[in-house]
Amino acid sequence: AAGGHVIFAGCWRVQGDLAVSRAFGDCHLKRFGVSAEPEIALYEVTPKDAFLVLASDGLWDVVGEVQ
């Protein structure tokens, strides 16, 4: 472990500063293991797919999954 801590302050935050879902541009938190390397997944979109949602996790803070 790189040290540091994660606390809940409205959302989970590294060192009480960085929302856990964010990492880009927060170089001062690299020493605590925060990485700006994205997780990438490939999916094949087919005619059977009704829609595609591209959003950050912040969308789910204000929109429910049913919506």
Side-chain angles (χ1 to χ4, degrees), residues 15-35:
Q15 293 299 101
D17 178 28
L18 172 70
V20 173
S21 61
R22 280 190 34 223
F24 295 103
D26 294 289
C27 295
H28 66 286
L29 295 172
K30 276 190 172 187
R31 65 184 179 161
F32 299 110
V34 174
S35 171

Side-chain angles (χ1 to χ4, degrees), residues 24 36-43:
F24 295 103
E37 187 167 329
E39 181 177 323
I40 299 173
L42 300 175
Y43 298 93

